[in-house]
Amino acid sequence: MKRLIIMGPPGAGKGTQAVRIAERFGIPAISTGDIFRSNIKDGTELGRQVEAILKSGGYVPDEMTNAIVQDRLGWVDAAPGFLLDGYPRTPGQVEFLDRVLAAHDHALDGVIELTVDEDAVVSRLLKRAETEGRADDTEKVIRERMAIYRKETAPIIALYDQQGVLVKIDGMGTVDEVTERVSKAIESMTG
Ligand code: ADP
């Protein structure tokens, strides 16, 4: 059983790793951001409710986000496990997820935190902004986003550290190198 969470700062390539890891272990990569975006694109009721929130960069309320994740975890493809990406993001979501899993006598197997060298990531993102013509991605904006990530995830990372499920993985190097590191860590924690 592989019940996993992946966390990482902007620019760490978290989404890319999530998809690769999920494929390797035969579990779905579940990204709350992707779920919200596809609902907006399809014009669903949920999409209409969250569109303005995503545009403003704010958080979708816990009750809505939790309900969506609870539903998604009940799909048949998540029976062998799952890899959550972008959830949980608040202490309330951490608590909810624990309760949903406990109700089925389940628990998390591991929480992977990708760590990066901040200066290296800033220059990588600046280069990308230049080639893609994204003038709004200035160094100041990028560093601010990283500071927000650190501030918001610190309490969540601390909770999982207390639970003894947190594994820090060096997120620097090639995409393949990082995938290998994460896979090894998952194998050693889930057998
Ligand atoms: P990013 O990493 O750029 O924040 P995501 O794809 O993870 O992108 O999320 C996009 C948006 O979706 C967030 O800004 C937020 O509005 C919403 N969202 C995603 N996950 C959550 C969550 N766990 N709780 C609340 N809102 C969320």
Side-chain angles (χ1 to χ4, degrees):
M1 219 36 89
K2 312 252 183 282
R3 298 191 184 94
L4 308 162
I5 293 171
I6 188 162
M7 302 178 66
K14 174 172 58 83
T16 307
Q17 293 299 336
V19 171
R20 293 169 67 118
I21 297 296
E23 199 166 299
R24 183 174 291 203
F25 290 100
I27 55 178
I30 300 174
S31 154
T32 41
D34 283 352
I35 293 174
F36 292 136
R37 278 186 294 272
S38 72
N39 273 275
I40 292 170
K41 195 165 136 271
D42 296 344
T44 67
E45 175 63 29
L46 169 70
R48 279 194 290 277
Q49 285 170 5
V50 301
E51 188 163 12
I53 300 173
L54 263 81
K55 216 170 256 167
S56 75
Y59 277 8
V60 174
D62 277 2
E63 307 80 70
M64 277 173 89
T65 311
N66 285 338
I68 281 153
V69 171
Q70 182 173 22
D71 172 76
R72 183 64 187 84
L73 294 182
W75 292 20
V76 65
D77 65 340
F82 51 78
L83 177 60
L84 284 166
D85 167 10
Y87 180 96
R89 273 193 199 192
T90 65
Q93 293 176 8
V94 171
E95 201 183 297
F96 180 83
L97 178 63
D98 281 345
R99 270 192 279 124
V100 167
L101 295 176
H104 297 275
D105 280 328
H106 293 161
L108 288 170
D109 294 297
V111 177
I112 297 140
E113 186 198 5
L114 292 179
T115 60
V116 299
D117 176 79
E118 196 165 310
D119 289 335
V121 169
V122 169
S123 48
R124 196 202 283 169
L125 291 178
L126 280 175
K127 209 171 281 164
R128 191 172 77 184
E130 205 177 299
T131 52
E132 292 177 6
R134 300 202 306 211
D136 53 330
D137 268 3
T138 61
E139 171 153 3
K140 183 161 172 280
V141 169
I142 293 168
R143 289 207 187 265
E144 255 165 32
R145 253 190 272 141
M146 288 181 164
I148 291 169
Y149 168 82
R150 258 185 275 115
K151 187 162 162 263
E152 287 176 345
T153 53
I156 291 163
I157 286 173
L159 283 171
Y160 285 133
D161 205 11
Q162 277 165 24
Q163 290 186 16
V165 287
L166 186 72
V167 185
K168 286 181 195 278
I169 306 277
D170 178 7
M172 301 306 292
T174 66
V175 173
D176 282 341
E177 280 164 0
V178 177
T179 304
E180 283 312 310
R181 269 179 225 141
V182 175
S183 299
K184 287 223 173 73
I186 292 172
E187 274 155 14
S188 64
M189 66 198 168
T190 61

